[in-house]
Amino acid sequence: MPTADLTPTSPARTIVCADSLPWMREHGPLAGACAVTSLPDVSEVNIPLPDWRVWFLDAVQLVVNSVADDSAALFFQSDIKRDGRWIDKGALVTRAAEDAGAHILFHKIICRAPAGRLTPGRPGYTHLIAVSRALRCPDALPIPDVIADAGRHAWVRAMGIRAAAHAVRFARDHARATSIFDPFCGVGTVPAVANALGLDSLGIEKCRKRAEQSRALTVRPDEL
C-alpha cells in the first residue's frame, strides 16, 4: 500500500512578467486572495501627469476588483511633488476605492525618515490604506497608527519589509486570505514576505529584470 507523503510544502510564489492593468482586466477576482501593493508614480510610468492621474485611478479600481468583496486591498503610497505642487496619493486611493464601491478599513502612516527630520522635495512618510467592499475593521487592530520602523528596503522604491509584514498579517488574520496578490511587485518584497508568513503569493511585474529579482528575494524571520 503506498505511503502518503506528509512532507510540508512551502508556500508557492508565482511572478508573471506582464503589464498588470490588462492582466487584471482579463483575470478578474482571484479566489482567496488579498491585494497588497504600491502603485508606481508618474516618473515610473513615463506619461504626462494628467494621463497618469487617470491611469492611477483606473489602476486602484482594478486592484479593488481583483479580490472578492469580503477580502481587502491594501495600498502603500508616498505623496509626490511636481512643479511646486503636492499630489496626495492617499487621497487618490480613497477616491478611486470609493468609486469602486469600497470603504476605508484603516489608514496608517509609515515613517520613511525619523520624525522631525527635514526631507526637502520628498515626503518622509508613506500612507498604508486598506479598503474593502464588505469586510469590517476589527476594534482591536495590532497595527500602530504610526509605524516608526518600516524595516529593510530591498530597493529604493520598495516598501519596508516590516511594514509589508503588517499588511500581510492583516490579510492573513483578518481578511482570511490564503494568498497575497501584488500587481506591481517590483523586486518582490510583498511576495517574499507573504511566503515567509505562510501564504502563497502572486506578483505581476512589467520589468523583466525586476521580475527575476522578485522570484529570488528572500526575507529572514527576524526582519518581519
Side-chain angles (χ1 to χ4, degrees):
M1 182 175 183
T3 302
D5 184 1
L6 300 179
T7 304
T9 58
S10 299
R13 184 187 313 182
T14 302
I15 306 296
V16 179
C17 187
D19 187 335
S20 58
L21 269 62
W23 193 96
M24 286 188 284
R25 289 191 185 98
E26 179 183 350
H27 288 80
L30 303 172
C34 184
V36 178
T37 196
S38 175
L39 276 65
D41 68 31
V42 62
S43 64
E44 295 175 271
V45 296
N46 195 30
I47 57 178
L49 183 58
D51 295 338
W52 172 82
R53 286 179 179 272
V54 174
W55 179 93
F56 189 95
L57 294 170
D58 184 33
V60 170
Q61 293 197 37
L62 284 169
V63 174
V64 173
N65 292 337
S66 72
V67 299
D69 288 353
D70 59 353
S71 188
L74 290 84
F75 298 86
F76 289 85
Q77 298 297 159
S78 298
D79 297 341
I80 56 175
K81 186 178 182 182
R82 288 292 181 274
D83 301 323
R85 299 177 181 179
W86 281 102
I87 299 171
D88 186 340
K89 290 202 284 184
L92 292 178
V93 166
T94 300
R95 170 184 163 187
E98 290 178 346
D99 287 346
H103 57 264
I104 307 302
L105 293 172
F106 61 78
H107 186 167
K108 308 295 184 180
I109 296 296
I110 303 163
C111 294
R112 296 186 67 91
R117 177 182 293 179
L118 297 179
T119 57
R122 293 182 64 86
Y125 59 87
T126 294
H127 305 276
L128 170 55
I129 301 174
V131 306
S132 177
R133 289 192 175 99
L135 196 65
R136 296 293 183 266
C137 189
D139 292 333
L141 183 65
I143 305 176
D145 288 339
V146 178
I147 300 170
D149 181 9
R152 176 171 67 90
H153 291 76
W155 180 44
V156 65
R157 294 185 181 274
M159 66 192 75
I161 287 172
R162 285 198 177 92
H166 279 298
V168 171
R169 287 192 183 99
F170 176 84
R172 182 190 65 188
D173 300 339
H174 297 285
R176 306 302 180 192
T178 56
S179 65
I180 299 296
F181 174 52
D182 184 352
F184 304 94
C185 70
V187 298
T189 299
V190 167
V193 168
N195 288 168
L197 290 173
L199 299 182
D200 293 341
S201 60
L202 168 61
I204 311 295
E205 173 52 48
K206 191 173 183 179
C207 172
R208 188 171 300 278
K209 179 180 178 181
R210 287 196 291 270
E212 290 296 334
Q213 292 172 316
S214 67
R215 294 184 181 106
L217 182 67
T218 59
V219 299
R220 303 187 308 273
D222 64 294
E223 295 185 290
L224 300 171

